[in-house]
Amino acid sequence: MSDNTLESLGYTQELSRTLKLRDLVIYGLIFIVPIAPFGIFGHVMSASSGMIVTAYVIGLIGMLFTAICYSQMAKEFPVAGSVYSYVSRGAGGFSGFVAGWIMLLDYILIPALLYVVGALAIHDIFPSLSPILLVIAFVVFNTYINIRGISFSAAFNRWMLVAELLVLAIFLVVGVVAISNNVNGAVFSMAPVYDADDFSLGLIISAVPIAVLSFLGFDGISTLAEEAKGGGKAVSKAIFLVLLIIGGLFIAQTWIAALIQPDPGAFDNLDTAFYETARIAGGGWLAVLTAATTAIAWGIADSLVAQIATARILYSMGRDRLLPEPLSRIHPRFKTPYVSALLVGVVSIVVGIAFMQHLALLTSIVTIGALTAFIMLNVTTLYYFVFKKKAANVFLHVLCPLLGLAVVGYIWSGFEPHTILIGLAWAIIGIGVYALAQRGGRAVNMEI
């Protein structure tokens, strides 16, 4: 068991340590979004030829192995910064910066992605509302809540989570009733898991990168290590609880929806496939309810926690003087990294407007940033415990990193070449930033 504490790692307690395990779990559930499959249901159904549940199960398994690595590093290094801090402490400052910089490609863009999805969903319901103005309104609202304090944000998250789970419960009940009544010819079956006529492992794997997008965000819990009562131990517990809960919810909702409409070719629009399915199951009111809830969940709740996580990574890297020092400034009253929060808000508006018509590209960039950082974390966990600390547990520190590396690496191999080039270009820019920080003598030595 590690005896590392925040102070022993060279930091002082600046952030407000008020979050309980319950708050961390709620934060993680909101970040991932319990109804995340609503927004991408059609695309995963199409890519998997209807065997959507298997795609989600494979994605969950891959994330669980990586989550074990996160939990082990969170216990060892209970500091804010997520993968940046873990790789820095485990493998050295340069590797940590590269991992953190690549993860920023995910974190700094995902709020914009969420704002745009939410804005477009509302625009679809109310065409007179401008998506651009909706994005700006979302950003201003969330930035205010972010700066007001983590406890204030946690209270807001609890109410949002209740609303999402209530709508999900309504859909599941209506869906089960519809299947029981053979609506649209639906019957209870294992088809969403395995269809002998169409099954192909390669086909299923091709759908996993899309399905994995729904799981991204569990790692965001680790950015709150300095604000959690219990530090790294609480973070570790929360990560597993969130993944197991969210995995069960994803499987339940996609299974029911796939039984109601098993033919991906029957959808009018893959972007709105879930709402079409909801309309079949319960009528127009259920379609509007699920669409509106998706808009609020993505545009406000999920984007809020994404902005919180991103601000804390910027804060951590600014504190280590690898990014401009003002990013580490704490609000004197609310005890939050307000400069970082404001920067994320500005970037979200700019990127959201720029990618308003290019959601597919933005999604792929976000995903490759996260998965590349996951790969670096898996490698670091193996290196740190086996070669550096020489105190490895065979299952936790050898098998789990290797299995996580294998699954995530295989998913990563499915990215389009242009997405890989964008990720590579971002990494090269990051190396240049690190070199400038080193030349200026600003970077903190992260070796322990």
Side-chain angles (χ1 to χ4, degrees):
M1 182 65 64
S2 171
D3 58 359
N4 286 338
T5 63
L6 188 61
E7 291 73 20
S8 71
L9 294 173
Y11 300 121
T12 57
Q13 184 69 46
E14 295 182 289
L15 301 175
S16 180
R17 194 178 288 278
T18 59
L19 298 180
K20 300 178 181 178
L21 177 62
R22 176 191 63 184
D23 297 316
L24 296 176
V25 171
I26 291 173
Y27 175 90
L29 291 174
I30 286 289
F31 201 151
I32 297 180
V33 185
I35 58 172
F38 283 18
I40 59 174
F41 173 74
H43 294 281
V44 185
M45 277 287 286
S46 177
S48 64
S49 287
M51 289 170 280
I52 187 171
V53 172
T54 301
Y56 271 99
V57 169
I58 293 174
L60 174 61
I61 292 172
M63 294 303 100
L64 280 173
F65 288 128
T66 299
I68 290 173
C69 293
Y70 264 99
S71 70
Q72 293 303 300
M73 298 304 279
K75 291 177 183 177
E76 195 74 10
F77 307 113
V79 296
S82 187
V83 68
Y84 156 68
S85 294
Y86 302 152
V87 178
S88 293
R89 296 286 173 177
F94 174 72
S95 297
F97 179 84
V98 172
W101 182 263
I102 290 174
M103 185 57 112
L104 275 179
L105 191 60
D106 165 25
Y107 273 89
I108 209 162
L109 294 183
I110 201 167
L113 170 64
L114 298 170
Y115 287 130
V116 171
V117 170
L120 291 177
I122 292 180
H123 175 70
D124 186 61
I125 300 172
F126 303 105
S128 61
L129 296 179
S130 166
I132 292 177
L133 292 180
L134 287 170
V135 166
I136 295 173
F138 284 149
V139 171
V140 171
F141 178 77
N142 277 357
T143 301
Y144 169 74
I145 294 179
N146 194 345
I147 293 175
R148 274 295 305 272
I150 195 65
S151 295
F152 187 82
S153 300
F156 177 80
N157 287 342
R158 284 194 289 271
W159 286 106
M160 291 302 304
L161 180 61
V162 169
E164 289 181 43
L165 293 176
L166 178 60
V167 171
L168 177 56
I170 291 172
F171 170 78
L172 291 176
V173 170
V174 174
V176 168
V177 171
I179 297 170
S180 299
N181 293 327
N182 301 121
V183 172
N184 198 40
V187 294
F188 292 104
S189 74
M190 294 292 292
V193 179
Y194 177 76
D195 185 340
D197 293 332
D198 295 320
F199 182 81
S200 163
L201 183 59
L203 181 72
I204 301 298
I205 291 297
S206 69
V208 174
I210 309 173
V212 161
L213 178 65
S214 299
F215 289 101
L216 299 185
F218 75 87
D219 54 294
I221 299 171
S222 62
T223 66
L224 302 179
E226 294 179 35
E227 293 161 276
K229 294 180 179 179
K233 293 181 180 178
V235 166
S236 175
K237 291 179 183 178
I239 286 176
F240 282 108
L241 285 173
V242 166
L243 271 179
L244 293 175
I245 292 170
I246 212 75
L249 293 176
F250 286 175
I251 290 171
Q253 64 194 272
T254 55
W255 201 324
I256 295 299
L259 291 176
I260 294 170
Q261 179 49 281
D263 181 11
F267 297 126
D268 294 331
N269 185 338
L270 293 181
D271 292 331
T272 59
F274 194 92
Y275 318 129
E276 294 177 31
T277 303
R279 180 174 284 104
I280 294 172
W285 68 271
L286 187 58
V288 171
L289 179 63
T290 52
T293 305
T294 301
I296 296 172
W298 287 57
I300 297 179
D302 191 24
S303 51
L304 169 63
V305 292
Q307 191 169 343
I308 289 172
T310 307
R312 278 142 186 80
I313 291 178
L314 293 173
Y315 159 78
S316 186
M317 297 178 79
R319 180 174 62 182
D320 291 335
R321 299 192 296 277
L322 288 167
L323 291 179
E325 183 275 336
L327 293 174
S328 65
R329 291 180 184 172
I330 300 297
H331 194 284
R333 178 183 174 189
F334 301 125
K335 302 301 180 183
T336 53
Y338 71 102
V339 176
S340 291
L342 289 171
L343 176 61
V344 176
V346 172
V347 170
S348 295
I349 291 175
V350 173
V351 173
I353 294 174
F355 282 85
M356 188 71 69
Q357 305 300 323
H358 306 284
L359 276 182
L361 177 60
L362 183 58
T363 299
S364 63
I365 295 173
V366 165
T367 307
I368 197 172
L371 294 188
T372 302
F374 289 170
I375 289 173
M376 294 189 70
L377 179 73
N378 287 321
V379 172
T380 298
T381 303
L382 180 69
Y383 167 75
Y384 174 74
F385 286 101
V386 175
F387 298 102
K388 195 171 183 180
K389 194 176 181 182
K390 301 185 186 305
N393 176 294
V394 174
F395 175 73
L396 295 176
H397 306 142
V398 180
L399 289 180
C400 286
L402 288 176
L403 290 171
L405 183 63
V407 176
V408 175
Y410 190 75
I411 297 171
W412 194 97
S413 67
F415 284 111
E416 296 289 338
H418 65 269
T419 302
I420 295 175
L421 287 176
I422 291 173
L424 180 61
W426 177 257
I428 291 173
I429 293 172
I431 292 172
V433 171
Y434 182 84
L436 290 175
Q438 288 290 319
R439 177 174 294 183
R442 300 193 307 274
V444 172
N445 181 14
M446 302 294 288
E447 297 284 357
I448 62 171

